[in-house]
């Protein structure tokens, strides 16, 4: 081991020397002397460290931190945890959205039913053909067709109308004809909701 | 992979996160002095050291304090925060250690008692000379000497605090000690040949 190898191992940072390091020191007075200086420096640092041990932060720092800790603990106790707030916020948000939605729907002028255009392809043999006349007769002046098995709307019942988009095939449910190639298209519809929140009648737009 | 058992500091940390005031106070009393001294050595200002100490422990109270026990001990984490805060202060230029060598040399004459400065390192004057030499080290060497030699934290914690590998801590410490020897020798005037105290290895 040469001097460079010896110091590359940073022996001054180790508490104990390895065997080959000790052997090098035995034969190298310069490294031995230098290591002794390093050890003396280390001892001096130890003394300095011991002298500085009494230095510490003033007592007011602890007092301030303790006060901050208590203040924060009080704030946390005053504020319910997130698990309480989240459902509450979600419920309020849902109620507001629903109120706004209903308000807009009520103010929206109902569009009169448009004349149905003759379907390009009649579903031949469909029982809907038979019911069509019935439903046409049942449609009110606004063009709403009562839904099968739905309660009738009382004259003084408060109703809401909601515009939705449904597959054209939904028209089959009220006996309207749908061409096979258009069955999957979307069509706008107004749904009349009863006071109990159930759909009572439907009016298709852009038939 | 072996899970590290939480040490006393870590247990106190876990308890203080559960709003245990006594745990917070205990952890503060265990760790405030080293943090304060580190900030004092690095900034040269007791006011800055006080502010830094307070801010370090306030960080523990925040919801997202960022301590990860997988990365190191609470002690290393606290020193790391203190270091960042001190560096921020130094960058602002509000305070710094007195690096004016002329002023430091003013007191060197009275320290020239013997021909061997190292022989005095266990005496009061020698220790004072060593303290001044530490203060005049460049920051990157001063911080590693303060952490490893004065506060005597292990290299792993120092690496966490400094944000560098352990090998870098060792090499900086090696270089810092060589610089200290050189400064101590310079303080004694031309009595000793510098060649005798040259760093045995230069890493920069």
């Amino acid at each position: 081991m040469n001097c460079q190898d010896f110091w590359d191992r940073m022996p001054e940072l180790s508490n104990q020397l390895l065997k080959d390091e000790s052997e090098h020191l035995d034969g190298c007075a310069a490294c031995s002397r230098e290591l002794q200086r390093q050890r003396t420096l280390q001892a001096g640092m130890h003394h300095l460290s011991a002298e500085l041990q009494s230095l510490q932060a003033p007592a007011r720092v602890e007092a301030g931190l303790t006060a901050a800790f208590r203040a924060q603990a009080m704030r946390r106790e005053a504020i319910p945890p997130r698990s309480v707030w989240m459902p509450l916020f979600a419920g309020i948000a849902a109620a507001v959205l629903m109120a706004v939605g209903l308000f807009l729907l009520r103010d929206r002028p109902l569009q009169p039913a448009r004349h149905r255009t003759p379907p390009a392809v009649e579903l031949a043999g469909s029982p809907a053909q038979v019911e069509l006349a019935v439903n046409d007769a049942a449609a009110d002046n606004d063009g709403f067709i009562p839904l099968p098995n739905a309660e009738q709307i009382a004259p003084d019942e408060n109703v809401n109308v909601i515009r939705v988009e449904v597959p054209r095939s939904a028209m089959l449910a009220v006996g309207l004809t749908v061409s096979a190639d258009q069955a999957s298209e979307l069509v706008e519809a107004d749904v009349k909701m009863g006071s109990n929140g159930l759909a009572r009648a439907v009016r298709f737009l852009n038939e | 992979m072996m899970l590290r058992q939480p040490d006393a500091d870590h247990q106190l940390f876990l308890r203080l996160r559960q709003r245990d005031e006594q745990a917070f106070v205990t952890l503060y009393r265990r760790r405030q002095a080293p943090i304060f001294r580190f900030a004092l050595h690095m900034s040269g200002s007791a006011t800055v050291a006080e502010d830094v100490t307070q801010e370090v422990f306030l960080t523990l109270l925040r919801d997202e304090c960022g301590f990860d026990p997988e990365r190191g001990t609470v002690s290393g984490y606290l020193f790391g925060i203190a270091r960042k805060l001190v560096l921020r202060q130094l960058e602002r230029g509000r305070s710094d250690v007195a690096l004016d060598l002329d002023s430091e040399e003013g007191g060197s004459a009275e320290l020239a008692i013997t021909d061997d400065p190292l022989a005095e390192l266990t005496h009061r004057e020698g220790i004072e000379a060593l303290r001044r030499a530490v203060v005049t080290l460049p920051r990157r060497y001063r911080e590693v000497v303060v952490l490893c030699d004065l506060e005597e934290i292990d290299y792993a914690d120092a690496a966490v605090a400094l944000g560098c590998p352990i090998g870098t801590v060792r090499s900086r410490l090696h270089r810092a000690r060589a610089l200290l020897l050189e400064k101590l020798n310079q303080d004694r005037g031309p009595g000793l040949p510098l060649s005798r105290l040259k760093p045995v290895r230069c890493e920069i």
Side-chain angles (χ1 to χ4, degrees):
Chain A
M1 173 184 283
N2 60 28
C3 297
Q4 187 65 48
D5 293 337
F6 178 79
W7 290 109
D8 279 348
R9 297 190 183 190
M10 302 181 185
E12 76 279 17
L13 302 179
S14 304
N15 291 326
Q16 288 186 331
L17 294 177
L18 301 175
K19 184 184 174 187
D20 52 351
E21 292 171 345
S22 297
E23 288 173 355
H24 175 77
L25 286 180
D26 290 341
C28 180
C31 286
S32 181
R33 193 167 51 244
E34 185 58 38
L35 185 62
Q36 184 56 41
R37 290 179 188 285
Q38 297 276 354
R39 292 281 163 85
T40 307
L41 174 66
Q42 206 169 339
M45 296 295 284
H46 190 71
H47 279 278
L48 177 57
S49 173
E51 277 210 350
L52 298 173
Q53 284 300 306
S54 60
L55 286 175
Q56 59 180 343
R60 60 177 171 270
V61 177
E62 180 178 329
L65 285 168
T66 306
F69 185 94
R70 288 175 184 165
Q72 188 188 53
M74 286 177 64
R75 278 199 302 275
R76 283 180 175 167
E77 285 172 5
I79 301 172
R82 185 178 296 181
S83 57
V84 172
W85 281 112
M86 288 306 288
L88 184 59
F89 281 138
I92 291 172
V96 169
L97 281 175
M98 187 174 292
V100 170
L102 291 177
F103 175 78
L104 292 175
L105 286 171
R106 288 172 70 99
D107 285 355
R108 191 170 186 168
L110 295 178
Q111 296 181 6
R114 302 173 189 177
H115 292 293
R116 289 196 296 269
T117 54
V121 179
E122 298 286 344
L123 294 178
S126 168
Q129 286 284 358
V130 180
E131 296 173 12
L132 179 61
V134 178
N135 284 331
D136 276 348
D140 59 17
N141 293 334
D142 293 331
F144 279 92
I145 304 169
L147 291 172
N149 304 320
E151 292 179 27
Q152 285 201 339
I153 298 172
D156 58 344
E157 188 172 351
N158 193 14
V159 296
N160 290 311
V161 177
I162 299 174
R163 179 156 297 176
V164 295
E165 269 192 338
V166 294
R168 192 175 288 271
S169 58
M171 296 167 70
L172 292 171
V174 290
L176 300 177
T177 56
V178 178
S179 63
D181 57 338
Q182 293 179 318
S184 60
E185 287 180 359
L186 292 177
V187 61
E188 281 190 323
D190 288 335
V191 179
K192 191 176 282 187
M193 312 292 288
S195 56
N196 60 358
L198 296 177
R200 302 291 179 82
V202 65
R203 177 176 65 189
F204 290 99
L205 310 176
N206 301 322
E207 292 176 37
Chain B
M1 188 177 77
M2 285 187 61
L3 290 177
R4 182 186 298 184
Q5 289 295 321
D7 58 14
D9 283 351
H10 188 193
Q11 288 174 348
L12 290 170
F13 172 80
L14 295 175
R15 283 171 50 200
L16 82 85
R17 301 295 287 179
Q18 301 297 319
R19 305 179 208 171
D20 183 337
E21 180 181 322
Q22 190 54 46
F24 178 69
V25 172
T26 304
L27 182 61
Y28 173 80
R29 288 177 181 170
R30 282 169 64 97
R31 294 298 167 194
Q32 57 87 13
I35 297 296
F36 178 81
R37 288 193 296 264
F38 171 76
L40 181 61
H41 286 305
M42 294 302 297
S43 69
S45 161
T47 304
V48 170
E50 184 178 330
D51 289 346
V52 166
T53 305
Q54 178 166 295
E55 190 59 35
V56 164
F57 286 91
L58 278 175
T59 304
L60 289 177
L61 301 183
R62 298 196 179 109
D63 288 338
E64 302 296 333
C65 75
F67 171 64
D68 180 2
E70 295 296 320
R71 295 180 59 191
T73 63
V74 173
S75 173
Y77 165 76
L78 295 176
F79 276 117
I81 298 173
R83 175 177 176 262
K84 286 178 183 170
L85 293 170
V86 168
L87 294 184
R88 196 178 299 165
Q89 292 277 357
L90 295 181
E91 285 168 4
R92 285 180 191 163
R94 285 174 52 184
S95 75
D96 198 356
V97 291
L99 295 178
D100 183 357
L101 290 177
D102 292 338
S103 63
E104 297 295 334
E105 285 171 2
S108 62
E110 60 182 325
L111 299 174
I113 299 171
T114 69
D115 285 342
D116 188 356
L118 296 178
E120 296 175 17
L121 285 182
T122 54
H123 297 91
R124 181 154 194 85
E125 294 83 1
I127 291 172
E128 178 58 23
L130 180 57
R131 188 194 65 76
R132 287 203 305 271
V134 169
V135 164
T136 56
L137 280 173
R139 180 188 56 77
R140 65 196 319 223
Y141 299 119
R142 188 165 73 241
E143 61 190 10
V144 75
V145 163
V146 171
L147 288 175
C148 296
D149 281 346
L150 295 184
E151 295 307 326
E152 299 179 345
I153 72 173
D154 62 33
Y155 294 163
D157 275 350
V160 171
L162 301 176
C164 66
I166 290 181
T168 305
V169 172
R170 289 172 63 88
S171 61
R172 281 188 193 171
L173 192 55
H174 178 89
R175 173 66 177 151
R177 287 176 172 176
L179 285 172
L180 281 175
L181 287 172
E182 194 172 347
K183 284 176 180 295
L184 288 170
N185 189 51
Q186 285 174 339
D187 274 354
R188 301 296 160 150
L192 288 175
L194 274 180
S195 57
R196 287 179 55 190
L197 296 174
K198 271 187 177 174
V200 291
R201 176 179 168 188
C202 294
E203 303 257 342
I204 301 175

